[in-house]
Amino acid sequence: MRKVWFAVATVVVLGAGYLGAQAYSSHVFERELSRTLEHARANPQWQVTRDEVERGWFHSRGRLQLSHIDNAQWRLSLPYDARHGLLSTRISGALQGYRHEASNTSGEGRNDSVESPVQGRTALFGDILDSAEPRWVTTLHTLDRRAKGRLDIPSFTLSREEGQLSSEGAEFTLDGHVSDISIKGSIAPLKLRSEAAKIVTGPLSIDSRYQVADGGKSLFQHSELSLDRLHYTNRQQAPITLLGLSYEGDSRLDDQLTINASIALDEARVAGEAMLSGRLDVRLDRLNGNAVRRLQSQSAQLIEEQGGDFWSLSDAQRKTLIRRLESSLLATLVDSPRFNLEGITLQSALFGVDVRGHGELIFEGDDSQALDIEALLNGNAQAWREHLNGGFSWQGVPPLVALQLGLPPGTRQVDMQIERGNVLVNGRPLPPSL
């Protein structure tokens, strides 16, 4: 009898532990989803809602909806289905896009008995694009709250009178948690056709990482883009092909904002003839971090008050916005920002060009608060130029460029010095025409 009671007690304990683990897994899923939604809602440019919610220990479901304040007629919908396990939750669903249209009966002759507005909805996938809905799946690990996900976008075709856009599909993967996320993706070749021209690109590879620390005071982002091929044909000109076009960059915001970027092109061809290749590596640093964060916060608030993004504002609204942000803009310069041209190469066997260069340009931050941004925008840049110092060195300068700089055509190396905005080329002032 004691063995029976011991067995019963064991079953009860194990069952209670299993149910407790299930409940905890469900709790972690809801907590992490709520945190993600709070983070998304912190951006005033986006409206995020959740509805059709069902919560359970073993199974949960719901729908997320996102829309941008500048284009509220478009809405992104993500229905999800979550199945909770002991150590993880598997969430799957679809990515749906809808365009909502409303027509109102108004003005003279209006019949108030007619219901208004009349709502219409057009599906992005199916109605606009000849394609099935993208599908996604994510696994959320209960103990370390790490997520791994995948999004698959099927092939589609978009046809209009002016042309046709088609894609062979794309796939993206996600790994990490809210404060450290890695995203990788591959976009299959895209084709854009019109009566006169055609562009074919791809495949395109994407690799990005986003990290947040110290309550959002420290941010890091790294991005890599690699386009294998871009081919452009037009009836009225020779075809152009770019091979091995890539970008790699990272930015870090803590006490200062630092940005590194590299752009490379393996080869550019015109009518099948190799024309050009090159690489550019640059760095921008010593922008005051506190001022950058303050500028981000103030600009987001002021743009929201204007009811749109910066580029949707009128010229008068932009000038008003810049005047209100002038103090914060100038504060970013107090640490004497520096632009480094860490390296540039430009090569063309066809034209006999092999140019290489490096150098730096420093904006002296002393008395930067006394500068006038409106004067700069109006073309009065003398006070700003006086803050510039630096130097650049160029090797392999083409003879035509040397002549334009007022140097003998046989000059192959050019050293440029900038002192308080004045430029000297190999010790000589620039020609008046420049």
Side-chain angles (χ1 to χ4, degrees):
M1 182 62 69
R2 291 180 179 177
K3 292 182 179 181
V4 173
W5 283 111
F6 178 77
V8 171
T10 302
V11 170
V12 170
V13 171
L14 292 177
Y18 172 75
L19 292 176
Q22 287 289 141
Y24 181 68
S25 180
S26 174
H27 168 72
V28 169
F29 165 73
E30 280 294 330
R31 184 179 63 191
E32 294 304 310
L33 180 57
S34 297
R35 287 179 177 176
T36 302
L37 293 177
E38 288 176 5
H39 181 74
R41 288 166 179 153
N43 187 336
Q45 299 293 312
W46 291 94
Q47 296 177 346
V48 184
T49 61
R50 179 163 65 141
D51 57 16
E52 300 182 2
V53 178
E54 295 182 15
R55 298 182 178 90
W57 286 3
F58 298 92
H59 179 232
S60 301
R61 63 164 54 96
R63 181 178 63 177
L64 308 178
Q65 298 197 74
L66 298 85
S67 61
H68 197 273
I69 62 172
D70 294 329
N71 197 353
Q73 72 176 121
W74 279 100
R75 181 173 299 171
L76 183 65
S77 179
L78 290 89
Y80 66 86
D81 186 279
R83 298 190 176 276
H84 310 295
L86 294 179
L87 299 177
S88 65
T89 292
R90 186 180 186 275
I91 315 109
S92 60
L95 189 152
Q96 302 168 343
Y98 296 101
R99 184 177 64 193
H100 294 260
E101 298 177 353
S103 60
N104 295 276
T105 57
S106 60
E108 293 183 3
R110 171 177 173 177
N111 185 352
D112 291 337
S113 65
V114 178
E115 184 180 355
S116 177
V118 179
Q119 295 289 343
R121 189 175 76 168
T122 304
L124 174 60
F125 300 99
D127 294 335
I128 298 177
L129 298 179
D130 183 14
S131 170
E133 295 175 345
R135 306 295 302 183
W136 58 272
V137 60
T138 299
T139 300
L140 174 63
H141 296 278
T142 303
L143 298 180
D144 61 4
R145 301 185 299 281
R146 192 175 190 88
K148 288 187 176 183
R150 178 185 176 95
L151 170 66
D152 292 299
I153 300 176
S155 59
F156 67 83
T157 300
L158 175 62
S159 298
R160 291 290 186 269
E161 293 183 0
E162 60 271 18
Q164 183 184 82
L165 173 66
S166 60
S167 169
E168 298 178 21
E171 60 182 39
F172 299 90
T173 60
L174 176 148
D175 185 12
H177 45 78
V178 174
S179 59
D180 188 353
I181 298 176
S182 295
I183 299 175
K184 297 182 179 181
S186 177
I187 301 176
L190 290 166
K191 297 179 181 179
L192 178 62
R193 304 171 183 265
S194 67
E195 292 185 359
K198 180 175 71 172
I199 299 176
V200 181
T201 69
L204 174 65
S205 299
I206 300 172
D207 189 348
S208 299
R209 185 175 184 181
Y210 308 87
Q211 294 177 295
V212 182
D214 298 331
K217 293 183 179 180
S218 178
L219 306 174
F220 175 78
Q221 177 179 339
H222 178 82
S223 299
E224 295 181 27
L225 301 175
S226 177
L227 180 62
D228 183 68
R229 179 186 181 91
L230 186 151
H231 185 66
Y232 173 76
T233 56
N234 189 302
R235 293 177 181 176
Q236 300 178 350
Q237 64 184 58
I240 300 173
T241 303
L242 303 182
L243 300 175
L245 182 61
S246 63
Y247 166 82
E248 182 176 357
D250 61 64
S251 59
R252 183 181 299 277
L253 176 59
D254 37 44
D255 293 336
Q256 295 180 345
L257 173 62
T258 302
I259 301 174
N260 294 284
S262 299
I263 301 174
L265 174 64
D266 288 348
E267 189 175 78
R269 298 176 181 174
V270 178
E273 188 76 24
M275 299 289 289
L276 187 70
S277 65
R279 181 181 179 88
L280 172 67
D281 297 290
V282 298
R283 176 184 176 91
L284 177 64
D285 61 5
R286 302 201 307 214
L287 287 161
N288 186 270
N290 290 331
V292 169
R293 279 186 286 270
R294 186 165 60 251
L295 178 62
Q296 289 176 329
S297 176
Q298 291 178 349
S299 60
Q301 180 180 352
L302 292 175
I303 290 174
E304 183 183 7
E305 292 176 1
Q306 297 285 353
D309 59 58
F310 181 81
W311 300 111
S312 68
L313 303 178
S314 65
D315 289 341
Q317 288 175 318
R318 290 178 192 170
K319 289 182 179 180
T320 300
L321 177 65
I322 291 174
R323 281 197 296 269
R324 296 178 66 180
L325 294 173
E326 183 174 45
S327 177
S328 295
L329 284 166
L330 295 175
T332 65
L333 307 176
V334 297
D335 295 330
S336 298
R338 175 178 57 187
F339 171 79
N340 273 11
L341 177 61
E342 298 189 336
I344 182 172
T345 61
L346 192 62
Q347 298 171 319
S348 174
L350 182 64
F351 296 108
V353 173
D354 187 2
V355 178
R356 302 173 186 275
H358 65 276
E360 69 174 12
L361 184 65
I362 298 174
F363 187 94
E364 301 296 342
D366 295 342
D367 300 323
S368 59
Q369 289 288 333
L371 293 170
D372 186 347
I373 291 180
E374 188 170 357
L376 176 64
L377 297 177
N378 291 332
N380 185 7
Q382 179 59 36
W384 290 78
R385 285 197 296 266
E386 292 177 357
H387 284 258
L388 295 176
N389 295 287
F392 295 89
S393 179
W394 304 88
Q395 294 82 36
V397 176
L400 180 59
V401 175
L403 286 172
Q404 291 176 331
L405 294 173
L407 301 173
T411 303
R412 302 301 292 163
Q413 177 165 335
V414 173
D415 293 313
M416 303 177 66
Q417 295 296 321
I418 300 112
E419 298 179 0
R420 293 182 60 83
N422 297 311
V423 181
L424 299 176
V425 179
N426 286 5
R428 304 177 180 178
L430 278 175
S433 59
L434 297 178

